[in-house]
């Protein structure tokens, strides 16, 4: 019985609260609606003053890899590239970047718990992705620490390749079978090293999917307007309560 009475009292209190709120709104509707309208207008003006924040864009993901630094360090370097919200060309270390919305990177783990670096390029024109990637590659190649480490590593690999080639051409003093097996192993190592030298870059970018994906940003624009409208209502109620408090004084 006590539980039923408590439930009934709670329901009455709720309706009473709603009623008080409605009566307060009727009394201060001019103030509340004024703040609501101001919030909506501010939200709409925000769409015009910051159009690129709510403009749809194209996104393309890449898996980036380098042998000279860790994924975490490479990710920090990429994330520190200045953003270009005004969609104009920007110079970074004398490297010209075409207009882009964002370049960001994140270290992720795959199904085998191996870490990899995913780089995301966001642009307003799908044809600009390749240009931004070219500029990003040139920018990373221009970093002295990365280029020096890569150059040192490349020279070591060239020296190792020369040693393998020399070993393959040297006369074999061992048995016929063991000598043949040794040459096969040396040839496989030489092939693997040549392939690595030929394809290796300071940073390699592998696209996750072939074409950029269109990302609609209209939802964020609507939420922006509604959010400022709701903020206006809250401020309107607060102002109304303050006016009531002042009048009572």
């Amino acid at each position: 019985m006590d539980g039923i009475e408590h439930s009934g009292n709670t329901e009455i209190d709720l309706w009473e609260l709603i009623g008080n709120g409605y009566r307060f709104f009727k009394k201060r509707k001019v103030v509340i609606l004024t703040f609501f309208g101001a919030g909506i207008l501010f939200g709409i003006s925000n769409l015009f003053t910051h159009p690129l924040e709510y403009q749809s864009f194209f996104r393309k993901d890449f898996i980036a890899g380098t042998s000279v630094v860790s994924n975490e360090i490479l990710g920090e370097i990429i994330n520190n590239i200045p953003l270009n919200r005004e969609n104009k060309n920007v110079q970074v270390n004398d490297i010209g970047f075409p207009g882009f919305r964002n370049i960001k990177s994140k270290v992720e783990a795959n199904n085998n718990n191996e870490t990899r670096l995913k780089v995301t390029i966001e642009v307003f024109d799908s044809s600009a992705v390749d240009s931004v990637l070219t500029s990003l590659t040139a920018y990373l190649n221009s970093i002295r620490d990365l280029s020096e480490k890569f150059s040192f590593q490349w020279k070591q690999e060239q020296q190792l390749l020369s040693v393998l080639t020399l070993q393959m051409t040297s006369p074999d003093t061992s048995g016929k079978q063991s000598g043949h097996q040794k040459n096969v192993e040396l040839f496989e190592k030489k092939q693997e090293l040549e392939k690595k030298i030929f394809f290796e870059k300071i940073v390699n970018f592998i696209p996750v999917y072939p074409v950029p994906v269109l990302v609609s940003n209209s939802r964020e624009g609507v939420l922006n307007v509604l959010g400022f409208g709701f903020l206006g209502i809250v401020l309107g109620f607060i102002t109304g309560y303050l006016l009531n408090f002042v009048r009572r004084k």
Side-chain angles (χ1 to χ4, degrees):
M1 293 293 292
D2 292 341
I4 296 175
E5 290 179 1
H6 178 73
S7 177
N9 291 335
T10 302
E11 186 174 348
I12 292 173
D13 291 342
L14 179 61
W15 281 110
E16 185 178 352
L17 181 63
I18 294 174
N20 291 337
Y22 178 70
R23 286 189 292 272
F24 177 80
F25 173 76
K26 285 183 65 177
K27 183 179 180 181
R28 294 297 181 186
K29 64 181 178 181
V30 174
V31 175
I32 296 171
L33 291 178
T34 299
F35 273 87
F36 172 70
I40 292 293
L41 289 175
F42 184 83
I44 294 174
S45 67
N46 197 42
L47 295 179
F48 288 98
T49 55
H50 303 86
L52 297 183
E53 294 284 344
Y54 308 102
Q55 181 179 333
S56 297
F57 59 91
F58 292 89
R59 170 187 291 157
K60 191 169 183 179
D61 293 331
F62 299 85
I63 300 301
T66 179
S67 58
V68 294
V69 292
S70 66
N71 287 333
E72 288 77 10
I73 293 177
L74 180 60
E76 287 184 14
I77 293 173
I78 294 174
N79 286 334
N80 283 324
I81 295 176
L83 295 181
N84 187 20
R85 293 292 187 185
E86 295 183 358
N87 199 24
K88 298 178 181 177
N89 292 346
V90 64
Q91 292 289 123
V92 183
N93 286 14
D94 297 326
I95 304 298
F97 278 78
F100 63 88
R101 181 180 186 271
N102 200 0
I103 300 176
K104 55 188 177 182
S105 64
K106 181 181 179 182
V107 177
E108 298 180 337
N110 59 18
N111 294 332
N112 297 323
N113 291 325
E114 299 170 340
T115 59
R116 61 182 187 178
L117 182 67
K118 185 171 80 171
V119 177
T120 301
I121 295 178
E122 297 175 352
V123 295
F124 297 105
D125 181 0
S126 60
S127 62
V129 172
D130 291 339
S131 299
V132 174
L133 182 62
T134 299
S135 297
L136 176 60
T137 302
Y139 167 71
L140 295 173
N141 291 345
S142 70
I143 298 176
R144 183 176 177 180
D145 188 52
L146 298 184
S147 61
E148 287 181 350
K149 286 182 178 180
F150 180 78
S151 178
F152 176 75
Q153 179 178 284
W154 188 85
K155 288 178 181 177
Q156 285 188 316
E157 291 170 348
Q158 288 287 349
Q159 291 173 358
L160 179 58
L161 182 61
S162 299
V163 171
L164 290 175
T165 303
L166 182 62
Q167 287 181 345
M168 289 179 63
T169 56
S170 299
D172 183 31
T173 57
S174 59
K176 184 177 180 181
Q177 184 67 30
S178 61
H180 175 73
Q181 183 178 356
K182 179 184 177 182
N183 281 336
V184 171
E185 291 175 355
L186 289 174
F187 181 75
E188 289 176 347
K189 288 181 181 179
K190 182 173 179 290
Q191 260 192 334
E192 184 178 345
L193 188 57
E194 287 175 333
K195 187 186 298 183
K196 182 180 179 182
I197 292 174
F198 182 80
F199 288 105
E200 191 174 30
K201 302 175 183 176
I202 293 181
V203 181
N204 290 286
F205 291 95
I206 302 174
V208 176
Y209 37 82
V211 295
V213 175
L214 176 63
V215 180
S216 176
N217 224 6
S218 56
R219 180 172 177 269
E220 280 69 18
V222 173
L223 291 176
N224 164 73
V225 175
L226 294 179
F228 281 111
F230 178 76
L231 178 61
I233 291 177
V234 173
L235 292 177
F237 269 93
I238 293 174
T239 303
Y241 276 115
L242 289 176
L243 289 174
N244 283 355
F245 180 75
V246 171
R247 287 197 174 186
R248 286 173 187 172
K249 286 288 185 179

